[in-house]
Amino acid sequence: MGDLTAQVLGALSSKDSILSSDAFSSIPSTTVKGALDRLASREMVVYQTIDREEAVLTEEGEAIAEEGSHEAKVFEAVRKSVEGLKIGNLPDIVGKESAKVGSGKAFKEGWIRKEKDLLVANTDSITDVTREQLQTIQKTRTHPDAKAIADLRKRKLVVMQKVISFRISKGPKYAKELVKEETDLTAEMLASGSWKNLKFKPYNFKALGANTTSGALHPLNKVRHEFRQIFFEMGFTEMPTNRFVETGFWNFDALFVPQQHPARDLQDTFYISDPAVADKPRADPKPAHPTSKSSGAGVKEENQLDYEGYWSSVREVHESGKYGSIGYRYPWNPEEALRLVLRTHTTAVSTVMLHKLAANPRPARYFSIDRVFRNESVDATHLAEFHQVEGVIADFGLDLGGLIGFMETFFAKMGVHGLRFKPAYNPYTEPSMEIFGWHEGLGKWVEIGNSGMFRPEMLEPMGLPKDMRVYGWGLSLERPTMIKYGVRNIRELLGHKVDLNFVESNPAVRLEKE
């Protein structure tokens, strides 16, 4: 490096500017740039980077430039055979590759013709244009005819190579020699006074510091945090969602989903094979070492619940109807209700919480954000597992107008305004509504959630009062995250194809607050 900086300064001594490709053609561009940066930091030189592409011969191209093209070899072999050359003998004379590639080109140029099983020359001499073009490129690294370069690239005789060079000029502090600059002011310099005659290296305030390695939150976690803050601001309590495996009872039957519903088919739901079934619904086991928190009113309320009566009421409302409903009128299978599944929605958790609420009915607001599983084909917008955001409000005297008003308030906090609602069907909500919002980027209305009021067939078997109503709504966590971060393929957001650089560099997300 030291020798190269001296060479640069020496080369500029008699000229105002030089090209690195001329003066230092044998030195790699990275080495030249290092020397130039060192001189530029002292304002001894200024330089401009020049990027250009050069044509370089491949190994086959080098051979043709030396010995001639395949087609020229074929012509020469045919010309030397006065009475014609047998087609079968051509590979033995010019080689298999030249015979295969060159014969077609020679026919196309009209240099040779076929007479029965013989090849005959049409002319006494030819111009080997391919060889001449390659020789020109070999000398100049380019060719005046761009079409010629394109044709040679197609034949894989030439490749384009990016070349970086520098135009170097004298700087305001140019000198023929590089004066050593001190980097530290020592006690000895101060004591002797030698610092007065020394040149110190200036501080580089633009230098980048060393990268600090650290962890990074996944985009889903960032959006999840924003959702949690919205729920907490609105007075919600987070539900425990640590059970990925649920029984069909809590996941389907308690929600008044019939056992013949398509959602319960193997092609839509993941069933557990070992163990395949669970016990009937019962209170959670008491902790081995109860704390003051775990031994409070919540545990007492749960112990008061009649799980056997709840089981019977759910069975009855399915089979013959109850609470003013005629039910589905089919023989309800207890074994089907006890089959273990990977939960298909977090509404299974909401059902458990509402059942516990029946021990002490009161206004309540619950939410959850966690993973659910569906047996779906994986594509750009669907995965077999994703995250569901769910909210539940239980209170007396709720109606559909209140649900619509609350949805507008809730989604406004996410920055989504002017909602549209479309009637829909869910087995466990009536009325049910799909929620649509205007997507500025796509320029159309897109579905952003589903909502409804839980049916009496779901709530009254739990023991909740007849006049208590419950709102429920949900949406995926992935869709708003994809919109916020401009991700088009969900597999780039979740799974083994996630780019860790994307996770580390993505910005914080801030949903609109009102």
Side-chain angles (χ1 to χ4, degrees):
M1 179 71 75
D3 292 336
L4 185 55
T5 54
Q7 291 178 43
V8 172
L9 295 174
L12 282 172
S13 61
S14 57
K15 298 180 181 178
D16 291 331
S17 65
I18 57 172
L19 281 172
S20 63
S21 56
D22 296 334
F24 315 108
S25 57
S26 61
I27 301 176
S29 60
T30 53
T31 306
V32 175
K33 188 176 187 307
L36 294 179
D37 285 339
R38 185 181 181 192
L39 294 172
S41 66
R42 294 163 173 79
E43 299 184 21
M44 299 182 74
V45 301
V46 292
Y47 71 90
Q48 179 185 3
T49 304
I50 302 172
D51 293 339
R52 71 178 189 279
E53 279 193 331
E54 290 185 349
V56 180
L57 271 57
T58 63
E59 186 177 344
E60 184 182 359
E62 294 278 1
I64 291 175
E66 183 74 22
E67 303 169 4
S69 65
H70 300 300
E71 56 269 26
K73 290 179 181 179
V74 170
F75 170 77
E76 195 62 28
V78 173
R79 186 186 65 80
K80 287 180 179 179
S81 300
V82 179
E83 297 180 355
L85 179 66
K86 285 190 176 182
I87 297 174
N89 295 336
L90 182 61
D92 297 330
I93 299 173
V94 300
K96 290 183 179 180
E97 184 66 21
S98 292
K100 179 182 177 182
V101 177
S103 56
K105 185 75 173 172
F107 275 119
K108 184 178 179 181
E109 294 291 338
W111 296 346
I112 61 174
R113 68 180 185 275
K114 183 180 177 183
E115 292 183 358
K116 295 183 179 180
D117 62 340
L118 297 176
L119 297 175
V120 180
N122 284 333
T123 181
D124 295 330
S125 63
I126 60 165
T127 301
D128 193 349
V129 178
T130 302
R131 184 182 187 183
E132 291 178 354
Q133 290 172 341
L134 290 173
Q135 287 175 339
T136 301
I137 292 172
Q138 195 175 41
K139 293 176 184 177
T140 63
R141 298 297 180 106
T142 188
H143 195 279
D145 186 358
K147 187 177 181 300
I149 292 181
D151 292 339
L152 293 172
R153 289 180 67 186
K154 286 181 182 178
R155 296 177 63 182
K156 297 184 179 179
L157 302 177
V158 166
V159 293
M160 301 307 294
Q161 194 175 70
K162 186 177 180 180
V163 177
I164 299 174
S165 60
F166 308 95
R167 183 175 297 280
I168 311 165
S169 306
K170 294 177 181 178
K173 296 183 180 179
Y174 169 78
K176 291 184 178 182
E177 293 183 3
L178 180 64
V179 179
K180 182 185 176 183
E181 293 179 329
E182 301 292 339
T183 56
D184 295 308
L185 179 64
T186 64
E188 289 78 10
M189 293 177 187
L190 292 172
S192 64
S194 60
W195 63 272
K196 297 178 182 179
N197 301 319
L198 296 175
K199 187 175 181 62
F200 289 90
K201 184 178 180 179
Y203 282 107
N204 183 5
F205 293 102
K206 295 181 180 179
L208 298 176
N211 289 331
T212 303
T213 56
S214 62
L217 287 176
H218 191 280
L220 283 172
N221 281 337
K222 294 182 180 181
V223 176
R224 178 179 181 273
H225 173 75
E226 287 297 304
F227 271 114
R228 291 181 78 239
Q229 295 306 115
I230 290 173
F231 278 116
F232 288 138
E233 287 175 9
M234 302 183 77
F236 282 76
T237 300
E238 190 165 17
M239 294 183 280
T241 55
N242 55 341
R243 288 201 300 238
F244 286 178
V245 177
E246 288 282 5
T247 62
F249 178 83
W250 290 115
N251 198 79
F252 297 118
D253 295 272
L255 276 72
F256 198 52
V257 177
Q259 293 183 342
Q260 301 85 2
H261 196 278
R264 301 179 76 151
D265 293 342
L266 286 172
Q267 62 263 30
D268 292 313
T269 300
F270 291 109
Y271 284 87
I272 307 300
S273 59
D274 186 19
V277 296
D279 298 334
K280 283 186 177 182
R282 53 179 170 78
D284 291 334
K286 294 180 181 179
H289 303 286
T291 62
S292 59
K293 185 175 181 179
S294 62
S295 59
V299 175
K300 292 179 181 178
E301 289 174 1
E302 186 174 348
N303 290 338
Q304 295 170 3
L305 295 171
D306 180 7
Y307 282 90
E308 189 62 38
Y310 183 36
W311 172 271
S312 300
S313 295
V314 169
R315 177 173 189 162
E316 189 176 348
V317 80
H318 277 255
E319 283 190 336
S320 57
K322 198 175 183 181
Y323 312 109
S325 170
I326 63 173
Y328 290 117
R329 299 183 180 183
Y330 71 95
W332 188 76
N333 185 359
E335 293 181 1
E336 181 68 23
L338 295 179
R339 292 180 69 185
L340 288 171
V341 301
L342 287 178
R343 67 182 180 208
T344 60
H345 48 192
T346 52
T347 315
V349 181
S350 302
T351 307
V352 174
M353 295 299 295
L354 289 172
H355 180 238
K356 292 179 179 179
L357 184 67
N360 180 18
R362 62 196 184 277
R365 294 186 174 198
Y366 300 125
F367 83 93
S368 64
I369 306 173
D370 211 337
R371 192 166 295 192
V372 296
F373 308 87
R374 306 269 176 89
N375 192 2
E376 294 187 353
S377 299
V378 176
D379 57 29
T381 57
H382 296 85
L383 289 177
E385 55 182 307
F386 59 95
H387 295 79
Q388 182 175 335
V389 181
E390 179 160 334
V392 172
I393 297 179
D395 207 339
F396 299 94
L398 299 179
D399 56 24
L400 182 63
L403 174 60
I404 292 174
F406 185 84
M407 289 295 96
E408 290 175 341
T409 302
F410 176 77
F411 281 98
K413 289 182 174 291
M414 296 165 48
V416 180
H417 304 275
L419 300 180
R420 286 184 178 179
F421 300 90
K422 176 184 174 183
Y425 169 76
N426 284 313
Y428 45 90
T429 57
E430 180 62 36
S432 306
M433 299 182 299
E434 292 175 349
I435 308 167
F436 291 81
W438 179 257
H439 191 295
E440 292 290 346
L442 298 177
K444 64 178 183 179
W445 293 91
V446 295
E447 184 182 350
I448 57 175
N450 213 315
S451 66
M453 299 181 69
F454 288 128
R455 297 176 66 108
E457 294 96 329
M458 172 186 167
L459 300 178
E460 292 191 34
M462 298 176 179
L464 290 170
K466 286 182 176 292
D467 57 346
M468 175 167 272
R469 303 286 181 265
V470 180
Y471 295 153
W473 73 95
L475 64 151
S476 76
L477 183 64
E478 281 75 7
R479 177 167 290 183
T481 305
M482 291 174 70
I483 293 173
K484 284 290 182 182
Y485 287 101
V487 177
R488 293 186 176 274
N489 192 326
I490 194 172
R491 289 168 288 194
E492 297 173 3
L493 185 68
L494 190 66
H496 66 283
K497 292 186 177 181
V498 174
D499 183 359
L500 292 181
N501 290 326
F502 165 69
V503 174
E504 293 173 357
S505 61
N506 65 73
V509 63
R510 290 291 181 267
L511 301 176
E512 182 178 333
K513 302 291 178 66
E514 288 191 350

